[in-house]
Amino acid sequence: MNAEMNDLLPVSHDDKAQIWIIGSREQVLHLINECYVKKLASDRIKFTPIVPAPFAAGKYMSVLVR
Protein backbone atom coordinates (compact mmCIF):
# COMPACT_ATOMS: atom_id res chain seq x y z
CA MET A 1 0.00 0.00 0.00
CA ASN A 2 1.15 3.48 -0.65
CA ALA A 3 0.92 6.46 1.70
CA GLU A 4 -2.23 7.78 0.01
CA MET A 5 -4.07 4.54 0.74
CA ASN A 6 -2.85 4.52 4.34
CA ASP A 7 -4.32 7.99 4.84
CA LEU A 8 -7.74 6.69 3.74
CA LEU A 9 -7.80 3.83 6.26
CA PRO A 10 -10.03 4.62 9.26
CA VAL A 11 -7.69 2.82 11.70
CA SER A 12 -6.04 4.73 14.49
CA HIS A 13 -2.37 4.03 15.16
CA ASP A 14 -3.31 3.53 18.83
CA ASP A 15 -5.61 0.58 18.01
CA LYS A 16 -4.34 -2.87 18.90
CA ALA A 17 -4.14 -5.62 16.30
CA GLN A 18 -6.68 -8.43 16.54
CA ILE A 19 -6.68 -12.05 15.42
CA TRP A 20 -10.16 -13.54 14.98
CA ILE A 21 -10.69 -17.30 15.20
CA ILE A 22 -13.97 -18.58 13.76
CA GLY A 23 -15.03 -22.21 13.44
CA SER A 24 -16.59 -25.05 15.37
CA ARG A 25 -16.17 -24.87 19.14
CA GLU A 26 -13.51 -27.60 18.99
CA GLN A 27 -11.60 -25.84 16.19
CA VAL A 28 -11.58 -22.55 18.07
CA LEU A 29 -10.38 -24.18 21.29
CA HIS A 30 -7.68 -26.09 19.39
CA LEU A 31 -6.39 -22.94 17.67
CA ILE A 32 -6.36 -21.02 20.97
CA ASN A 33 -4.21 -23.77 22.47
CA GLU A 34 -1.99 -23.85 19.38
CA CYS A 35 -1.44 -20.08 19.54
CA TYR A 36 -0.42 -20.42 23.19
CA VAL A 37 1.94 -23.36 22.57
CA LYS A 38 3.59 -21.58 19.62
CA LYS A 39 3.93 -18.43 21.81
CA LEU A 40 1.74 -16.28 19.57
CA ALA A 41 -0.12 -15.42 22.78
CA SER A 42 1.64 -15.21 26.14
CA ASP A 43 -1.43 -16.51 27.98
CA ARG A 44 -4.81 -18.00 27.08
CA ILE A 45 -6.45 -15.17 29.02
CA LYS A 46 -5.50 -12.85 26.13
CA PHE A 47 -8.35 -14.43 24.13
CA THR A 48 -11.96 -13.38 24.57
CA PRO A 49 -14.34 -16.11 25.78
CA ILE A 50 -15.62 -18.44 23.06
CA VAL A 51 -19.03 -17.15 21.96
CA PRO A 52 -21.44 -18.00 19.13
CA ALA A 53 -20.52 -16.04 16.01
CA PRO A 54 -23.38 -13.59 15.32
CA PHE A 55 -22.78 -13.68 11.56
CA ALA A 56 -22.33 -17.44 11.01
CA ALA A 57 -24.94 -19.94 12.19
CA GLY A 58 -23.45 -22.87 14.09
CA LYS A 59 -20.00 -21.29 14.34
CA TYR A 60 -18.13 -19.95 17.36
CA MET A 61 -15.49 -17.28 17.69
CA SER A 62 -12.79 -15.86 19.91
CA VAL A 63 -10.56 -12.83 19.46
CA LEU A 64 -6.93 -12.38 20.44
CA VAL A 65 -6.06 -8.73 21.09
CA ARG A 66 -2.34 -8.15 20.92
Side-chain angles (χ1 to χ4, degrees), residues 4-63:
E4 295 164 349
M5 290 297 290
N6 287 336
D7 291 340
L8 295 175
L9 292 173
V11 178
S12 168
H13 294 289
D14 296 336
D15 289 342
K16 294 183 179 181
Q18 298 178 355
I19 298 174
W20 289 42
I21 300 174
I22 302 167
S24 70
R25 189 171 186 80
E26 292 79 22
Q27 288 172 325
V28 172
L29 185 58
H30 178 77
L31 284 170
I32 288 172
N33 290 331
E34 189 174 332
C35 288
Y36 173 70
V37 168
K38 292 184 177 181
K39 301 187 191 271
L40 185 62
S42 60
D43 194 353
R44 288 179 184 93
I45 197 74
K46 302 283 185 182
F47 288 90
T48 62
I50 298 173
V51 296
F55 45 81
K59 299 290 183 179
Y60 292 85
M61 64 181 282
S62 181
V63 179

